[in-house]
Amino acid sequence: MTKSTEFYTKRAAELSFRNDCWTDGRFVPAVSGQRFDTLNPATAAVLTRVARGDAKDVDRAVVSGRSAFASGVWAGMTPAERKAVLLRWAQLLRDNLEELALLGTLDVGKPISDTLTIDVPGAAAILQWHAEAIDKLYDEIAPTGGRDLAMVRRVPLGVVGVVVPWNFPLDLAIWKIAPALAVGNSVVLKPAEQSPLSALRLAELASEAGLPDGVLNVVPGFGHEAGRALGLHPDVDCLAFTGSTEIGKLFQGYAGDSNMKQVWLETGGKSPCLVFPDADLDAAAEKAAWGIFFNQGQVCSANSRLLVHESIAQDMIERVKAKAEMLVPGDPLDPSTRLGPMASAEHADRVAGFVAAGRESGRLVTGGGQLSRGASKAYIQPTIFADVPHDALIAREEIFGPVLVVQTFRDEAEAVTLANDTPYGLAASVWTQDLTRALSVSDGLNAGTVSINTVDALSPMTPFGGMKQSGFGRDLSLHSFDKYSALKTVWIKY
């Protein structure tokens, strides 16, 4: 039975927040003693004051991670032993479902219906999948012939830095932590300053599951302080980042300025959804609306450009408009809410700026308002623009909000050209009943994932990542282990 808004409001008020750095298996204040406020975007109220980690805290965490790695306390375990710990951790996520869901809802405004059914179960499932894969990764024997034995072994890198954004703070942390830990590395996690609470609880649960001290450390703080320090640290072997393209470029620079550490980036997107005349328009409209309005549009792979054949354009616009107008921003602790606030008032202001630019360059179909609920001004209406010029700001820049841009095409070639004319290449969607068209269009699209007759197809069994300025890292699937391990050749003559 669905629980009430009153129930979740009461439970939220009873939560105990972890708000210090997690280093060497325990909570410790920042070296500087400084703290920062983390806010509930739905109410603008301060949830708690969190340790403001900086370069000294990052160094403390890296030293802890390096010591744990060198001791072999984790890397020296058998794959089966590491698997058992990670599986216990995944179960603890499930056992603490309600608490973790509430942390996600309070920290970034996600509807409780999503955090309960998508975010936390998804994180647990992906952690379990990577855990179960550990003892199925085989080394190789090269076909050298003669009296030679050449072994190609997969070995951990050492200390992995992980920097994740606020839109899926629990899930994206797990996407990177799970494979990094699975192959034997230590990890230093820097969550977004807007969403530190679930990461700190996650680390505590890892310890409860039996993860040795120092193997996972969490340093909350700001990007220009803790994030930059992690990118520049000379004893970090690899840095995995999900976030904006602008910040991803900074991490590449940090690597060049320090120890040439590996940097794996999953960055921005401006993903197209291409709808052809023979498509199932009801299904296309349903998924097109979900693809841009889910999570308030705060999804790197959101299908933010709807490219429609000119013969069905008005029909599709009306269908998607009807879906959009059914979504009313509301209290994220209300189980009936499907659209919560943006992650912060500052981000809502940024999205509102794009909406203002859109009013000057296109036709506003619906939405466009920045709404207030009590003291919070973080709510944005689902918004659709049509008749948008190809070079308009809202057609080219990642808005990261519930704003859909509709453009038309005449034929398949123009559709592919329009879809690819962006600096990004993260995802795309194609809607058609013609198999030949589906495959030929997907061949022509520069995107890491092309979904046919759906949007944002995702599974731990398939890699997720992009092309061009959407980055080049790949999360999920067996390929994710490649980022966090090195190939070592051991050659024996006998």
Side-chain angles (χ1 to χ4, degrees):
M1 186 175 74
T2 302
K3 296 174 181 175
S4 67
T5 307
E6 291 73 21
F7 172 84
Y8 290 118
T9 302
K10 182 175 183 293
R11 282 286 290 115
E14 296 169 347
L15 283 182
S16 175
F17 300 119
R18 282 68 175 172
N19 57 11
D20 280 322
C21 301
W22 177 265
T23 305
D24 209 27
R26 65 187 188 280
F27 286 113
V28 293
V31 173
S32 68
Q34 293 190 43
R35 294 185 173 274
F36 65 95
D37 293 340
T38 186
L39 306 179
N40 179 349
T43 64
V46 176
L47 293 169
T48 187
R49 289 180 57 76
V50 180
R52 181 170 177 167
D54 58 21
K56 290 181 179 179
D57 301 284
V58 167
D59 186 63
R60 181 173 62 179
V62 172
V63 168
S64 174
R66 178 62 63 189
S67 176
F69 181 74
S71 73
V73 66
W74 177 247
M77 285 186 181
T78 67
E81 290 170 334
R82 293 198 298 272
K83 171 182 174 178
V85 173
L86 297 186
L87 287 177
R88 286 196 295 270
W89 191 17
Q91 186 56 47
L92 284 172
L93 265 62
R94 297 185 176 101
D95 293 344
N96 292 273
L97 167 65
E98 194 172 89
E99 178 189 7
L100 291 168
L102 283 166
L103 290 176
T105 295
L106 294 176
D107 228 3
V108 289
K110 286 172 169 285
I112 189 69
S113 57
D114 287 346
T115 55
L116 282 170
T117 62
I118 299 174
D119 292 52
V120 182
I126 287 170
L127 178 55
Q128 177 178 332
W129 190 90
H130 285 89
E132 291 176 340
I134 300 172
D135 55 4
K136 287 121 184 128
L137 298 175
Y138 289 85
D139 292 335
E140 303 169 6
I141 301 294
T144 53
R147 298 181 66 83
D148 293 285
L149 177 63
M151 298 179 290
V152 182
R153 301 175 52 212
R154 185 192 297 269
V155 298
L157 298 173
V159 178
V160 173
V162 171
V163 180
V164 294
W166 42 258
N167 59 329
F168 291 93
L170 184 68
D171 293 69
L172 293 180
I174 288 294
W175 282 24
K176 299 181 189 305
I177 290 172
L181 291 180
V183 295
N185 296 288
S186 296
V187 170
V188 178
L189 169 65
K190 208 295 280 186
E193 55 266 29
Q194 298 89 344
S195 56
L197 300 181
S198 59
L200 293 167
R201 182 64 175 128
L202 183 67
E204 189 177 36
L205 291 174
S207 181
E208 186 179 334
L211 192 71
D213 293 349
V215 175
L216 173 62
N217 301 279
V218 181
V219 182
F222 291 84
H224 67 280
E225 296 172 342
R228 180 176 183 273
L230 195 56
L232 287 168
H233 202 288
D235 205 26
V236 171
D237 301 287
C238 171
L239 193 292
F241 170 78
T242 294
S244 72
T245 297
E246 177 187 7
I247 302 301
K249 291 177 180 179
L250 290 180
F251 276 107
Q252 288 185 304
Y254 298 153
D257 290 340
S258 55
N259 62 338
M260 236 170 66
K261 62 177 63 65
Q262 296 182 42
V263 176
W264 297 101
L265 304 176
E266 192 270 279
T267 50
K270 193 71 175 174
S271 300
C273 178
L274 289 69
V275 184
F276 289 89
D278 64 335
D280 179 338
L281 298 189
D282 284 334
E286 180 77 30
K287 286 292 188 178
W290 184 89
I292 182 58
F293 301 132
F294 169 65
N295 204 44
Q296 297 71 250
Q298 300 168 136
V299 182
C300 55
S301 54
N303 282 217
S304 54
R305 293 185 295 148
L306 180 59
L307 311 183
V308 189
H309 190 273
E310 59 187 10
S311 66
I312 57 168
Q314 193 54 43
D315 190 357
M316 272 297 295
I317 288 171
E318 291 301 321
R319 290 170 188 259
V320 179
K321 176 186 176 185
K323 303 292 182 185
E325 292 178 348
M326 293 172 63
L327 296 170
V328 179
D331 180 0
L333 288 172
D334 182 344
S336 68
T337 293
R338 292 295 175 266
L339 195 77
M342 309 305 289
S344 68
E346 292 78 12
H347 184 57
D349 289 342
R350 178 182 179 275
V351 174
F354 279 106
V355 172
R359 292 176 185 272
E360 297 180 2
S361 60
R363 173 171 62 90
L364 179 64
V365 174
T366 189
Q370 182 175 4
L371 309 178
S372 298
R373 287 178 57 89
S376 173
K377 298 180 179 180
Y379 294 84
I380 297 287
Q381 288 180 308
T383 301
I384 300 174
F385 285 101
D387 306 328
V388 178
H390 181 60
D391 59 352
L393 180 71
I394 61 169
R396 301 193 61 79
E397 293 295 323
E398 183 179 39
I399 299 173
F400 219 63
V403 180
L404 180 66
V405 172
V406 184
Q407 297 174 298
T408 62
F409 60 84
R410 292 183 298 272
D411 53 33
E412 185 177 308
E414 185 181 19
V416 171
T417 298
L418 187 60
N420 286 339
D421 190 15
T422 168
Y424 304 107
L426 187 53
S429 177
V430 179
W431 290 83
T432 179
Q433 299 299 316
D434 185 326
L435 179 61
T436 298
R437 172 185 284 155
L439 294 176
S440 63
V441 169
S442 67
D443 286 345
L445 293 173
N446 292 326
T449 299
V450 179
S451 304
I452 308 297
N453 293 329
T454 187
V455 299
D456 235 0
L458 185 73
S459 165
M461 294 175 286
T462 56
F464 178 89
M467 300 177 180
K468 300 192 288 187
Q469 292 191 48
S470 289
F472 42 79
R474 290 294 184 272
D475 291 315
L476 307 179
S477 83
L478 292 177
H479 296 286
S480 66
F481 294 105
D482 297 339
K483 298 191 299 187
Y484 307 114
S485 57
L487 298 179
K488 176 185 286 187
T489 298
V490 178
W491 193 304
I492 305 171
K493 295 193 73 72
Y494 63 94

